Amino acid sequence: MGKKLYVSKACNTCHSLDGSPATGPTWKGLYDSKRTLANGKSVIADDNYIRESIVNPHAKLVAGYAALMPTYSGLLSDREINAIIEFIKGIK
């Protein structure tokens, strides 16, 4: 389901799965990695961080990326968000 959502919700237009540069950060190796934010702080990309990034993408903007991602709050169900998170976990 997560892979289908990656395409149907147009995540693939900004997030690569193979580590190649794109408008947004790649999803390859994302889960459980340390992310440096635009404000100089860092976070671990866990379930909570990814969920927040989907519903409030400008809250913790990754350094080097513009604030272009729209919010998916109200557009994705909790089940769909969980499916995306599980999909991201498997992209090594």
Side-chain angles (χ1 to χ4, degrees):
M1 179 179 185
K3 188 173 186 175
K4 287 181 182 178
L5 289 166
Y6 172 73
V7 175
S8 68
K9 297 299 181 180
C11 306
N12 61 334
T13 62
C14 296
H15 301 282
S16 75
L17 300 181
D18 62 3
S20 60
T23 304
T26 185
W27 286 3
K28 181 179 183 180
L30 170 65
Y31 193 79
D32 215 21
S33 69
K34 183 178 177 181
R35 310 302 291 173
T36 301
L37 306 178
N39 65 7
K41 295 180 180 181
S42 62
V43 296
I44 299 298
D46 59 9
D47 290 38
N48 292 327
Y49 168 78
I50 294 169
R51 178 178 301 281
E52 182 180 32
S53 295
I54 292 169
V55 298
N56 188 7
H58 303 159
K60 294 182 180 146
L61 189 63
V62 175
Y65 292 93
L68 299 175
M69 183 168 158
T71 180
Y72 281 83
S73 179
L75 300 176
L76 294 173
S77 68
D78 283 339
R79 181 173 172 247
E80 290 172 320
I81 292 172
N82 289 336
I84 291 170
I85 292 169
E86 289 304 312
F87 177 58
I88 289 171
K89 286 180 182 180
I91 305 165
K92 306 287 183 197

